[in-house]
mmCIF file of all heavy atoms in Angstrom:
data_model
loop_
_atom_site.group_PDB
_atom_site.id
_atom_site.type_symbol
_atom_site.label_atom_id
_atom_site.label_comp_id
_atom_site.label_asym_id
_atom_site.label_seq_id
_atom_site.Cartn_x
_atom_site.Cartn_y
_atom_site.Cartn_z
ATOM 1 N N ASP X 150 5.542 -5.627 -14.154
ATOM 2 C CA ASP X 150 4.799 -6.891 -13.883
ATOM 3 C C ASP X 150 5.151 -7.530 -12.609
ATOM 4 O O ASP X 150 4.289 -7.839 -11.779
ATOM 5 C CB ASP X 150 5.053 -7.824 -15.014
ATOM 6 C CG ASP X 150 4.135 -9.115 -14.922
ATOM 7 O OD1 ASP X 150 2.959 -8.976 -14.959
ATOM 8 O OD2 ASP X 150 4.743 -10.224 -14.705
ATOM 9 N N ARG X 154 2.712 -7.611 -9.254
ATOM 10 C CA ARG X 154 2.361 -8.954 -8.699
ATOM 11 C C ARG X 154 2.885 -9.122 -7.237
ATOM 12 O O ARG X 154 2.263 -9.747 -6.446
ATOM 13 C CB ARG X 154 3.018 -9.994 -9.545
ATOM 14 C CG ARG X 154 2.280 -10.353 -10.831
ATOM 15 C CD ARG X 154 2.997 -11.435 -11.528
ATOM 16 N NE ARG X 154 2.541 -11.640 -12.914
ATOM 17 C CZ ARG X 154 1.435 -12.330 -13.302
ATOM 18 N NH1 ARG X 154 0.754 -12.913 -12.397
ATOM 19 N NH2 ARG X 154 1.109 -12.362 -14.603
ATOM 20 N N ASN X 161 -2.462 -8.789 -0.715
ATOM 21 C CA ASN X 161 -3.754 -9.498 -0.755
ATOM 22 C C ASN X 161 -3.747 -10.654 0.221
ATOM 23 O O ASN X 161 -4.838 -10.888 0.884
ATOM 24 C CB ASN X 161 -3.910 -10.063 -2.170
ATOM 25 C CG ASN X 161 -3.994 -8.974 -3.204
ATOM 26 O OD1 ASN X 161 -4.104 -7.782 -2.964
ATOM 27 N ND2 ASN X 161 -3.792 -9.386 -4.460
ATOM 28 N N CYS X 162 -2.671 -11.329 0.414
ATOM 29 C CA CYS X 162 -2.626 -12.447 1.298
ATOM 30 C C CYS X 162 -2.687 -12.079 2.718
ATOM 31 O O CYS X 162 -3.395 -12.676 3.536
ATOM 32 C CB CYS X 162 -1.360 -13.331 1.000
ATOM 33 S SG CYS X 162 -1.264 -14.768 2.033
ATOM 34 N N ASP X 246 7.037 -14.127 3.037
ATOM 35 C CA ASP X 246 6.044 -15.088 3.315
ATOM 36 C C ASP X 246 4.850 -14.420 4.044
ATOM 37 O O ASP X 246 4.789 -14.252 5.221
ATOM 38 C CB ASP X 246 6.673 -16.139 4.233
ATOM 39 C CG ASP X 246 5.665 -17.201 4.733
ATOM 40 O OD1 ASP X 246 4.436 -17.087 4.378
ATOM 41 O OD2 ASP X 246 6.057 -18.054 5.544
ATOM 42 N N ASP X 424 -6.506 -3.101 -10.124
ATOM 43 C CA ASP X 424 -7.316 -4.235 -10.218
ATOM 44 C C ASP X 424 -6.700 -5.564 -9.719
ATOM 45 O O ASP X 424 -7.356 -6.568 -9.548
ATOM 46 C CB ASP X 424 -7.860 -4.462 -11.603
ATOM 47 C CG ASP X 424 -8.931 -3.506 -11.978
ATOM 48 O OD1 ASP X 424 -9.407 -2.685 -11.143
ATOM 49 O OD2 ASP X 424 -9.374 -3.406 -13.173
ATOM 50 N N TYR X 426 -4.855 -5.479 -6.870
ATOM 51 C CA TYR X 426 -4.746 -5.239 -5.501
ATOM 52 C C TYR X 426 -6.054 -5.365 -4.804
ATOM 53 O O TYR X 426 -7.014 -4.669 -5.234
ATOM 54 C CB TYR X 426 -4.183 -3.859 -5.182
ATOM 55 C CG TYR X 426 -2.844 -3.487 -5.729
ATOM 56 C CD1 TYR X 426 -2.514 -2.148 -6.005
ATOM 57 C CD2 TYR X 426 -1.911 -4.496 -6.112
ATOM 58 C CE1 TYR X 426 -1.346 -1.790 -6.496
ATOM 59 C CE2 TYR X 426 -0.637 -4.034 -6.650
ATOM 60 C CZ TYR X 426 -0.414 -2.762 -6.824
ATOM 61 O OH TYR X 426 0.803 -2.354 -7.381
ATOM 62 N N ASP X 427 -6.146 -6.145 -3.736
ATOM 63 C CA ASP X 427 -7.363 -6.187 -2.972
ATOM 64 C C ASP X 427 -7.524 -4.879 -2.174
ATOM 65 O O ASP X 427 -6.836 -4.582 -1.245
ATOM 66 C CB ASP X 427 -7.329 -7.401 -1.991
ATOM 67 C CG ASP X 427 -8.654 -7.669 -1.302
ATOM 68 O OD1 ASP X 427 -9.488 -6.766 -1.310
ATOM 69 O OD2 ASP X 427 -8.833 -8.745 -0.842
ATOM 70 N N THR X 429 -10.535 -3.856 -0.856
ATOM 71 C CA THR X 429 -11.716 -3.807 -0.050
ATOM 72 C C THR X 429 -11.688 -4.671 1.201
ATOM 73 O O THR X 429 -12.582 -4.588 2.068
ATOM 74 C CB THR X 429 -12.941 -4.294 -0.900
ATOM 75 O OG1 THR X 429 -12.650 -5.545 -1.524
ATOM 76 C CG2 THR X 429 -13.258 -3.238 -1.962
ATOM 77 N N GLY X 431 -11.383 -6.048 4.707
ATOM 78 C CA GLY X 431 -11.562 -5.325 5.897
ATOM 79 C C GLY X 431 -12.947 -4.629 5.950
ATOM 80 O O GLY X 431 -13.480 -4.311 6.996
ATOM 81 N N GLY X 432 -13.478 -4.413 4.755
ATOM 82 C CA GLY X 432 -14.878 -3.934 4.698
ATOM 83 C C GLY X 432 -15.000 -2.461 5.090
ATOM 84 O O GLY X 432 -16.134 -2.036 5.434
ATOM 85 N N ARG X 437 -12.327 3.929 -2.998
ATOM 86 C CA ARG X 437 -11.364 2.988 -3.618
ATOM 87 C C ARG X 437 -10.465 3.705 -4.512
ATOM 88 O O ARG X 437 -10.727 4.801 -4.867
ATOM 89 C CB ARG X 437 -12.123 1.841 -4.295
ATOM 90 C CG ARG X 437 -13.054 1.017 -3.415
ATOM 91 C CD ARG X 437 -13.472 -0.162 -4.209
ATOM 92 N NE ARG X 437 -14.830 -0.674 -3.787
ATOM 93 C CZ ARG X 437 -15.534 -1.529 -4.434
ATOM 94 N NH1 ARG X 437 -15.130 -2.044 -5.615
ATOM 95 N NH2 ARG X 437 -16.635 -1.912 -3.957
ATOM 96 N N GLN X 738 -8.383 -13.806 -22.656
ATOM 97 C CA GLN X 738 -9.241 -14.432 -21.707
ATOM 98 C C GLN X 738 -9.644 -15.767 -22.259
ATOM 99 O O GLN X 738 -9.927 -15.933 -23.428
ATOM 100 C CB GLN X 738 -10.552 -13.592 -21.474
ATOM 101 C CG GLN X 738 -10.324 -12.296 -20.902
ATOM 102 C CD GLN X 738 -10.075 -12.383 -19.352
ATOM 103 O OE1 GLN X 738 -10.396 -13.377 -18.802
ATOM 104 N NE2 GLN X 738 -9.565 -11.329 -18.766
ATOM 105 N N THR X 741 -15.328 -19.491 -22.369
ATOM 106 C CA THR X 741 -16.137 -20.311 -21.474
ATOM 107 C C THR X 741 -16.434 -21.646 -22.194
ATOM 108 O O THR X 741 -16.901 -21.617 -23.330
ATOM 109 C CB THR X 741 -17.452 -19.598 -21.216
ATOM 110 O OG1 THR X 741 -17.168 -18.254 -20.932
ATOM 111 C CG2 THR X 741 -18.203 -20.201 -20.144
ATOM 112 N N ILE Q 39 -6.938 -16.748 7.091
ATOM 113 C CA ILE Q 39 -8.272 -16.162 6.685
ATOM 114 C C ILE Q 39 -8.193 -14.716 7.015
ATOM 115 O O ILE Q 39 -7.690 -14.257 8.001
ATOM 116 C CB ILE Q 39 -9.401 -16.847 7.491
ATOM 117 C CG1 ILE Q 39 -9.598 -18.277 6.938
ATOM 118 C CG2 ILE Q 39 -10.633 -16.053 7.504
ATOM 119 C CD1 ILE Q 39 -10.163 -18.311 5.469
ATOM 120 N N ASN Q 40 -8.638 -13.836 6.026
ATOM 121 C CA ASN Q 40 -8.485 -12.411 6.298
ATOM 122 C C ASN Q 40 -9.801 -11.587 6.082
ATOM 123 O O ASN Q 40 -9.819 -10.423 6.210
ATOM 124 C CB ASN Q 40 -7.413 -11.837 5.552
ATOM 125 C CG ASN Q 40 -7.597 -12.005 4.025
ATOM 126 O OD1 ASN Q 40 -8.652 -11.998 3.507
ATOM 127 N ND2 ASN Q 40 -6.475 -12.055 3.288
ATOM 128 N N ARG Q 41 -10.917 -12.245 5.674
ATOM 129 C CA ARG Q 41 -12.201 -11.504 5.517
ATOM 130 C C ARG Q 41 -13.189 -11.845 6.597
ATOM 131 O O ARG Q 41 -14.389 -11.663 6.455
ATOM 132 C CB ARG Q 41 -12.739 -11.729 4.133
ATOM 133 C CG ARG Q 41 -12.436 -10.583 3.167
ATOM 134 C CD ARG Q 41 -13.104 -10.766 1.825
ATOM 135 N NE ARG Q 41 -13.158 -9.476 1.144
ATOM 136 C CZ ARG Q 41 -12.143 -9.026 0.370
ATOM 137 N NH1 ARG Q 41 -10.993 -9.640 0.294
ATOM 138 N NH2 ARG Q 41 -12.296 -7.893 -0.308
ATOM 139 N N ARG Q 43 -13.518 -10.259 9.366
ATOM 140 C CA ARG Q 43 -14.138 -9.060 9.977
ATOM 141 C C ARG Q 43 -15.282 -8.558 9.088
ATOM 142 O O ARG Q 43 -16.303 -8.200 9.582
ATOM 143 C CB ARG Q 43 -13.064 -8.002 10.180
ATOM 144 C CG ARG Q 43 -11.982 -8.478 11.233
ATOM 145 C CD ARG Q 43 -10.736 -7.591 11.091
ATOM 146 N NE ARG Q 43 -10.836 -6.388 11.877
ATOM 147 C CZ ARG Q 43 -10.653 -6.310 13.175
ATOM 148 N NH1 ARG Q 43 -10.198 -7.416 13.836
ATOM 149 N NH2 ARG Q 43 -10.753 -5.123 13.851
ATOM 150 N N ASP Q 44 -14.989 -8.521 7.800
ATOM 151 C CA ASP Q 44 -15.998 -8.096 6.822
ATOM 152 C C ASP Q 44 -17.224 -8.964 7.009
ATOM 153 O O ASP Q 44 -18.389 -8.440 7.056
ATOM 154 C CB ASP Q 44 -15.566 -8.316 5.438
ATOM 155 C CG ASP Q 44 -14.080 -7.867 5.176
ATOM 156 O OD1 ASP Q 44 -13.293 -8.057 6.056
ATOM 157 O OD2 ASP Q 44 -13.814 -7.328 4.036
ATOM 158 N N ILE Q 47 -19.133 -8.311 10.319
ATOM 159 C CA ILE Q 47 -19.902 -7.045 10.240
ATOM 160 C C ILE Q 47 -21.234 -7.223 9.435
ATOM 161 O O ILE Q 47 -22.280 -6.784 9.860
ATOM 162 C CB ILE Q 47 -19.091 -5.891 9.530
ATOM 163 C CG1 ILE Q 47 -17.884 -5.527 10.424
ATOM 164 C CG2 ILE Q 47 -19.924 -4.705 9.190
ATOM 165 C CD1 ILE Q 47 -16.839 -4.724 9.716
ATOM 166 N N GLY Q 82 -1.995 -19.917 3.869
ATOM 167 C CA GLY Q 82 -1.185 -19.259 2.779
ATOM 168 C C GLY Q 82 -1.562 -19.695 1.427
ATOM 169 O O GLY Q 82 -1.082 -19.172 0.467
ATOM 170 N N TYR Q 84 -0.590 -22.156 0.118
ATOM 171 C CA TYR Q 84 0.699 -22.589 -0.521
ATOM 172 C C TYR Q 84 0.588 -23.903 -1.198
ATOM 173 O O TYR Q 84 1.295 -24.147 -2.134
ATOM 174 C CB TYR Q 84 1.849 -22.556 0.566
ATOM 175 C CG TYR Q 84 2.303 -21.163 1.041
ATOM 176 C CD1 TYR Q 84 2.730 -20.963 2.301
ATOM 177 C CD2 TYR Q 84 2.093 -20.088 0.100
ATOM 178 C CE1 TYR Q 84 3.077 -19.661 2.675
ATOM 179 C CE2 TYR Q 84 2.481 -18.802 0.494
ATOM 180 C CZ TYR Q 84 2.995 -18.576 1.765
ATOM 181 O OH TYR Q 84 3.397 -17.416 2.201
ATOM 182 N N LEU Q 136 -4.537 -15.234 -15.314
ATOM 183 C CA LEU Q 136 -3.392 -15.488 -14.491
ATOM 184 C C LEU Q 136 -3.070 -14.390 -13.629
ATOM 185 O O LEU Q 136 -1.939 -14.243 -13.124
ATOM 186 C CB LEU Q 136 -2.159 -15.918 -15.316
ATOM 187 C CG LEU Q 136 -2.411 -17.133 -16.289
ATOM 188 C CD1 LEU Q 136 -1.123 -17.443 -17.024
ATOM 189 C CD2 LEU Q 136 -2.874 -18.320 -15.506
ATOM 190 N N ARG Q 137 -4.020 -13.435 -13.369
ATOM 191 C CA ARG Q 137 -3.777 -12.317 -12.506
ATOM 192 C C ARG Q 137 -4.880 -12.297 -11.470
ATOM 193 O O ARG Q 137 -5.996 -12.747 -11.662
ATOM 194 C CB ARG Q 137 -3.764 -10.965 -13.213
ATOM 195 C CG ARG Q 137 -2.637 -10.899 -14.180
ATOM 196 C CD ARG Q 137 -2.512 -9.552 -14.777
ATOM 197 N NE ARG Q 137 -1.406 -9.476 -15.775
ATOM 198 C CZ ARG Q 137 -0.165 -9.297 -15.466
ATOM 199 N NH1 ARG Q 137 0.189 -9.028 -14.171
ATOM 200 N NH2 ARG Q 137 0.775 -9.338 -16.348
ATOM 201 N N SER Q 140 -9.419 -7.837 -8.686
ATOM 202 C CA SER Q 140 -10.063 -7.090 -7.587
ATOM 203 C C SER Q 140 -10.962 -5.982 -8.156
ATOM 204 O O SER Q 140 -10.479 -4.996 -8.645
ATOM 205 C CB SER Q 140 -9.000 -6.471 -6.662
ATOM 206 O OG SER Q 140 -9.593 -5.469 -5.709
ATOM 207 N N ASP Q 142 -15.532 -4.828 -8.864
ATOM 208 C CA ASP Q 142 -16.909 -5.289 -8.704
ATOM 209 C C ASP Q 142 -17.324 -6.106 -9.914
ATOM 210 O O ASP Q 142 -16.829 -5.900 -10.991
ATOM 211 C CB ASP Q 142 -17.801 -4.005 -8.646
ATOM 212 C CG ASP Q 142 -17.759 -3.353 -7.272
ATOM 213 O OD1 ASP Q 142 -17.057 -3.856 -6.409
ATOM 214 O OD2 ASP Q 142 -18.382 -2.316 -7.086
ATOM 215 N N ASN Q 207 -17.134 -12.628 -17.829
ATOM 216 C CA ASN Q 207 -16.728 -13.734 -17.081
ATOM 217 C C ASN Q 207 -15.192 -13.738 -16.879
ATOM 218 O O ASN Q 207 -14.477 -14.433 -17.464
ATOM 219 C CB ASN Q 207 -17.151 -14.994 -17.882
ATOM 220 C CG ASN Q 207 -16.815 -16.310 -17.151
ATOM 221 O OD1 ASN Q 207 -16.654 -16.327 -15.916
ATOM 222 N ND2 ASN Q 207 -16.694 -17.360 -17.917
ATOM 223 N N LEU Q 208 -14.817 -12.791 -16.041
ATOM 224 C CA LEU Q 208 -13.418 -12.404 -15.978
ATOM 225 C C LEU Q 208 -12.452 -13.495 -15.571
ATOM 226 O O LEU Q 208 -11.302 -13.526 -16.052
ATOM 227 C CB LEU Q 208 -13.214 -11.169 -15.077
ATOM 228 C CG LEU Q 208 -13.894 -9.913 -15.629
ATOM 229 C CD1 LEU Q 208 -13.906 -8.833 -14.573
ATOM 230 C CD2 LEU Q 208 -13.161 -9.413 -16.847
ATOM 231 N N ARG Q 213 -19.190 -22.061 -17.766
ATOM 232 C CA ARG Q 213 -20.618 -21.651 -17.834
ATOM 233 C C ARG Q 213 -20.878 -20.394 -16.950
ATOM 234 O O ARG Q 213 -21.947 -20.220 -16.383
ATOM 235 C CB ARG Q 213 -21.538 -22.801 -17.492
ATOM 236 C CG ARG Q 213 -21.243 -23.982 -18.461
ATOM 237 C CD ARG Q 213 -22.237 -25.056 -18.398
ATOM 238 N NE ARG Q 213 -21.723 -26.230 -19.095
ATOM 239 C CZ ARG Q 213 -22.340 -27.414 -19.221
ATOM 240 N NH1 ARG Q 213 -23.452 -27.616 -18.643
ATOM 241 N NH2 ARG Q 213 -21.802 -28.389 -19.878
#
Side-chain angles (χ1 to χ4, degrees):
Chain X
D150 185 62
R154 282 183 193 275
N161 299 345
C162 180
D246 175 0
D424 283 353
Y426 302 154
D427 190 339
T429 53
R437 299 188 207 168
Q738 293 284 343
T741 312
Chain Q
I39 286 295
N40 61 29
R41 261 185 162 83
R43 298 164 84 83
D44 317 36
I47 291 166
Y84 288 151
L136 304 182
R137 293 188 184 278
S140 167
D142 284 356
N207 182 20
L208 291 170
R213 302 189 192 177

